[in-house]
Amino acid sequence: MFTLAHLSDIHLSPMPRARRRELMSKRMLGYVNWHRGRKYVHRREILDMITRDIVEQKPDHIAVTGDLVNLGLPEEFLRAAEWLHHLGPPSKVTAIPGNHDAYVTLHPEAGTRHWRPYMEANAAGERLFPTPPARFPFVRRFGDVALIALSSAIPTMPFIAAGKIGTAQRALLANALDRLKQANLFRVVLIHHPPLRAQAGWHRGLRDAGRFARVLKQHGAELVLHGHNHAQTVHELETATGPAFVVGVPSASEAVEGRIPAARYNQYSIARNGDGWRVEMVGRSVAASPEHVWESERRVLRER
Ligand SMILES: [Fe+2]
Ligand SMILES: [Fe+2]
């Protein structure tokens, strides 16, 4: 059995002080938004409780599906790298970027470069599917389970939080899914944006959701994990190789007071069962007064 924890939308706080020239962009609006309200929503203490709980649960692996930072300030990327180290070593943690991690395009190398050890294939995955020059998708393999990590992060205009996978990445994904199926592995697709068209509108959704879902339907996947909507959702998608469960997780730092959903992460237990797979999902959430993490849901997604 393999256990995989999934968390997303870290929106790491507190916000570092920004220099004026760093705010000459889309960041200005984001900075104002943050200090007006978002800083009360995404709290460091909440994230620390979730982080501690995951570490204590000792999953075999941890997947982080983007929005680690808020405005893409250089200092934010460094702090997020420290947080990743806290969660575990790169061999135990896989991360992908979200729209907030591509907030501005000033220095493409300055940002997610600090997270690179967490954003690359492992040796077993590389043998199955060599990473393309654009670095996504990359594959990590752990025994019977393979993670296919995508980037839907694109820089956009202010107030637009949309994402896109693009033609090249979709073609590579199709190829990776086929190869991993031939190897008879459990395929987990990691993507920041919700992959189904109805899940988000034009301003904040995946621009090529329709075409992306078609790739999933034609080539199959067993589990698709995403964030971005800051909500717990489960969809079942019929594919050529059987059902794919598409699961979104709430933000890992969202404060509890008066707001639903609270911070949560999900832990999956994946085991071969005959010709198929048994998958159980356990949700662990932050509860209010006294704030603590508890098992808020336990659900078998599939028996075979
Ligand atoms: Fe987010
Ligand atoms: Fe997002």
Side-chain angles (χ1 to χ4, degrees), residues 207-224:
R207 291 280 159 81
D208 52 350
R211 275 165 289 181
F212 180 75
R214 221 170 299 142
V215 172
L216 288 179
K217 281 185 199 152
Q218 284 170 3
H219 300 268
E222 280 63 50
L223 190 59
V224 181

Side-chain angles (χ1 to χ4, degrees), residues 8-11 38 42 65-70 98-100 192 204 227-230 251:
S8 197
D9 297 83
I10 311 310
H11 294 287
R38 283 177 75 94
H42 297 288
T65 52
D67 280 359
L68 278 71
V69 301
N70 300 291
N99 51 300
H100 279 265
H192 177 68
R204 49 185 317 281
H228 189 63
N229 276 2
H230 298 194
S251 159

Side-chain angles (χ1 to χ4, degrees), residues 5 13 36 39 42 74-75 80 97 100 105-106 111 149 172 200-201 266 278 280 293:
S13 58
R36 273 206 189 140
K39 70 176 170 186
H42 297 288
E75 178 66 22
H100 279 265
T105 37
L106 297 180
L172 290 160
N266 291 320
R278 183 180 193 277
E280 186 180 56
V293 180

Side-chain angles (χ1 to χ4, degrees), residues 26 67 69-72 77 97-105 112 115 151-156:
K26 180 183 174 185
D67 280 359
V69 301
N70 300 291
L71 303 182
F77 286 102
N99 51 300
H100 279 265
D101 309 317
Y103 212 69
V104 288
T105 37
T112 53
W115 312 340
S151 173
S152 58
I154 48 165
T156 57

